[in-house]
Amino acid sequence: MSIISILAIAIGLAMDAFAVSITSGILIKEFKNRHAFKISAFFGVAQGVMPLIGYALGYSFKSYIENIDHWIAFVMLVFIGGKMIIESRKSDDEKENFNPLNNKVLISLAIATSIDALVVGVGFAFLQVSVIPSCTIIAVVTFLICFLGVFIGRKSGDLFKSKAELIGGVILVIMGIKILIEHLFF
């Protein structure tokens, strides 16, 4: 597989994480550059590791993973997004404020947005792709795209401060529904 093909795959895989990075950038209250690095690192590592796991699983589990990957992503994104929407409706005193820098939240989001990379890794096993260089490219591309996404979210967050949590939750729910619809109907 050519480097151009791997880059195209990496960009495609990074798009869900990019959208979540924008949402995270909107929601961070006291932004520092290290926050963009942390978010990007979680997504980059997840996108780089999942194809390795998929590669290791190989052909025997391909049909099983393809049959449920969209459901896992859907449930995780709708759950997290729904929680954000509910929190946005509470008064400031009642809120548990959704924290996009919380490690548990980041792990959940990184896994939810990288399940498709797991299936790509299974495909790599059949195509006899050099998996380590390919996964490294996927991780680096995802990191860079997400880093940019956090800053885009940060800039647009200034426009939507009062509704950022609601908007972020709606975006995550929409992404979950989009993933489910794409896998079920297309």
Side-chain angles (χ1 to χ4, degrees):
M1 188 172 283
S2 73
I3 187 79
I4 301 297
S5 297
I6 299 296
L7 283 170
I9 289 169
I11 291 168
L13 290 174
M15 288 300 104
D16 289 344
F18 175 67
V20 174
S21 296
I22 291 171
T23 302
S24 297
I26 290 171
L27 296 174
I28 296 171
K29 304 259 187 276
E30 295 181 29
F31 182 80
K32 294 182 175 38
N33 288 341
R34 65 184 160 89
H35 297 145
F37 182 85
K38 179 178 181 178
I39 291 166
S40 303
F42 270 83
F43 288 119
V45 168
Q47 290 285 8
V49 169
M50 287 299 232
L52 283 173
I53 295 169
Y55 188 86
L57 292 174
Y59 187 76
S60 59
F61 293 104
K62 181 180 179 186
S63 62
Y64 177 71
I65 293 167
E66 286 179 333
N67 289 333
I68 64 167
D69 66 343
H70 51 283
W71 286 105
I72 295 168
F74 169 75
V75 168
M76 291 176 81
L77 290 170
V78 169
F79 176 76
I80 293 167
K83 187 175 187 313
M84 288 172 63
I85 292 168
I86 290 166
E87 288 296 316
S88 75
R89 308 303 294 163
K90 294 180 179 177
S91 71
D92 286 341
D93 294 336
E94 299 175 303
K95 283 187 179 184
E96 291 177 26
N97 286 332
F98 178 81
N99 182 1
L101 297 170
N102 178 286
N103 289 342
K104 288 180 185 176
V105 170
L106 278 172
I107 289 168
S108 297
L109 291 171
I111 290 170
T113 58
S114 65
I115 290 171
D116 52 349
L118 182 78
V119 176
V120 167
V122 172
F124 283 174
F126 301 117
L127 298 172
Q128 299 176 350
V129 172
S130 297
V131 72
I132 299 297
S134 297
C135 291
T136 303
I137 291 168
I138 290 168
V140 170
V141 166
T142 300
F143 176 87
L144 294 172
I145 287 173
C146 291
F147 196 78
L148 176 65
V150 174
F151 282 98
I152 290 171
R154 185 70 203 141
K155 291 294 181 191
S156 61
D158 291 339
L159 301 172
F160 304 111
K161 275 186 182 165
S162 63
K163 299 291 182 194
E165 197 165 31
L166 175 63
I167 292 167
V170 169
I171 289 170
L172 292 181
V173 169
I174 289 170
M175 282 180 50
I177 293 168
K178 175 187 144 298
I179 289 169
L180 185 64
I181 289 171
E182 283 176 351
H183 282 76
L184 292 178
F185 301 110
F186 300 104

